[in-house]
Amino acid sequence: MNASGLIFSPGLPWLVIGVLAVLSLVALGLAVWRGLSGWALRAVAALAVLTALAGPSLQQEDRDPLADILLAVVDDSASQGLSDRPDQNAAALASLEAQVAGRPGLDLTTRRLSEFADPATPDGTHLMRAITAAMADLPRDRVAGVVAITDGVVHDTEFAPNLPAPFQALLTGRADDWDLRLSVTDAPAFAILGEQTEIRLRVDALGAPLVPKELVELSISRDGADPESLLAQVGAEIVLPLTLTHAGRNLVHVTLPAAEGELTDRNNAAVIEINGVRDRLRVLLVSGTPHPGTRTWRNLLKSDSAVDLVHFTILRPPEKQDGVPVHELSLIAFPTQELFVDKIDEFDLIIFDRYRLRGILPGGYLDSVRAYVERGGAVLIAAGPALAGAESIARSGLAGMLPAFPTGRLVEDAFRPEISDAGARHPISRDLEDFAPEGGWGPWLRRIELEPTGGHTILNGPDDAALLTVDRVGDGRVALLGSDHAWLWARGYEGGGPQLELLRRLAHWLMREPELEEEALTATATETGLRIERRTMQDSTPEAIVTFPDGTEAPVELTERAPGVFDGEIAVTEQGLYRVAQDDLTTVVVRGLAALREFEQPIADAAPLAPLGHVTNGTVTRIEDGLPGLRPVRMGQLAHGRGWIGYTPRNAYVTQAIRVIPLAPAWLMLAIAALSLIGAWLIEGRGGARRTDPSSAR
């Protein structure tokens, strides 16, 4: 293909040439006005000079035409796998390929959405961004059209690019598709234990036909437990009351059984994660003989703003008789009936610090404490010397629930606490050695010899003697610390130790904090699958059984990573809720989202893409109505019609060679100008001689 054109190479700026042209016109006008007979030749001379200054040339190009590009972007997101949409995708793409193959000068470039982003991304289908990225890889002046094969479920239409050619959308899906959708309209992120909260749900009908029935049955499971049923009305908000019973993560899984004929069940499930928190932790601290450790307990409990501490110190035992009248005493009466009977269940933890039997608390009240533990309460006994004597609390109604019994021997000698074999596996003391100062823990100076009767001894004294023992009693928990010298660590005695960390963990274990459970099964989602962790006091564990969202099961072998900690991984790709079981423990975990964003509206919809088609003279066409033909149209014309869609040829080319032929060589133009001026001078000179000759006058 050849092309020619006129180009100019001016010897002077165009402004100067323009000024010269104006001056030439003025001079020619003056010559005509004066009647000079050579004005025409003067005009030829001026024109020749101006032409020489403009430098006109004929440019001839040898061009090779470039093929136009039709960009096809195929939406292969998750919603495109519904119904027969994969077949529609394939048929539409095959039709485009066949039509483009029969049109010389038109090439088809096919890109898929998955090339630019994860098709299972939870924040929806980003088709516009994919088109923008695909256009960036193509020469813009060759793009004759953009065709998107999609269901119209697009979530980034606000990022629609400025296209140089018509945008056409071939819409998958069927006009009679319908679906039921379960959605969460309101759910709290946190809830207080024991207080009722609400989750609000909604079931909507999407698409063409009416719902077969107005009421549907929801299945509700909490933390993987057996599901409960609830009837819900389609189109109305459902209020689900909920009371959390344990702290930490609580998972509520709500499912809507798939109805016959609906498009998908991927939006028939919702997983709500609520973090259970205690409103206030109420702790009752009963101190016997005052000692430096009392301040340690107060500092620990008051450092947490969520703890309400009730502290009673027995300063005036019954045997103290100093003759002071009772009405002159400013001491507060000990409300034993209220604390240990009427309101005992309001406390999350009761601590007896160096308490001794002196008749202040009758045996019936201590029996009430034991019943409180069996109902789910928690008691910590920090022993003083009295534990080894006749006034020992171990000789009360609490004796049957203690995890160790004092032998009656009080040992006053320096020793360093050590983590026992069981303590290396227990969350309270598992990594406590990491908090040791340089040179190791400092010594304690006194202990009561204990004989364990149950539970786990997690700290030892000399010769593996029990120092700290914990146990579960009924639904509650109890701990016995056989020394009152833990405060030496807080004072930094000979290096000190992790006194605050130890007592904090001990108190939180007693109050059932989930992260300190010694028998626990947890699962977390990773990029490649699931990671399962089991904490246990056992030396080995069986395989964990993973139940997939579709109901299939797979075993996972767990290996010991640290004492008492076993873990394992399984590779999974499916999104949804997984159940993990081992022994009598179960847990649930959500990988990705139970329903991706594009399943919120799985019905094919032309509305999101129609504005882009309109502004570029394109359109949105349903594939089920027939695959359209492909036609070329001129730029700016409507690019669609009945049964066809159009593209605009761009006529792009690449120049192989350029030839430039000067049309006004300077020497030739100067010669013409000179001859014209000489001719004008001769003509005007002869005419002037005739006018001045005297003989001619006579």
Side-chain angles (χ1 to χ4, degrees), residues 198-219:
E198 293 180 347
I199 297 174
R200 296 181 180 271
L201 309 168
R202 185 181 178 91
V203 178
D204 292 302
L206 311 173
L210 297 176
V211 180
K213 53 185 176 179
E214 294 184 356
L215 292 179
V216 293
E217 184 178 10
L218 300 180
S219 177

Side-chain angles (χ1 to χ4, degrees), residues 381 387 393-394 398-406 453-454 471 473 478-480:
I381 298 174
L387 186 68
I393 197 174
L398 302 182
M401 73 174 192
L402 297 181
F405 198 83
T453 58
D471 195 11
V473 178
V478 63
L480 176 59

Side-chain angles (χ1 to χ4, degrees), residues 220-234:
I220 303 167
S221 174
R222 304 178 185 182
D223 291 324
D226 293 336
E228 305 171 0
S229 296
L230 175 68
L231 289 178
Q233 185 174 3
V234 176

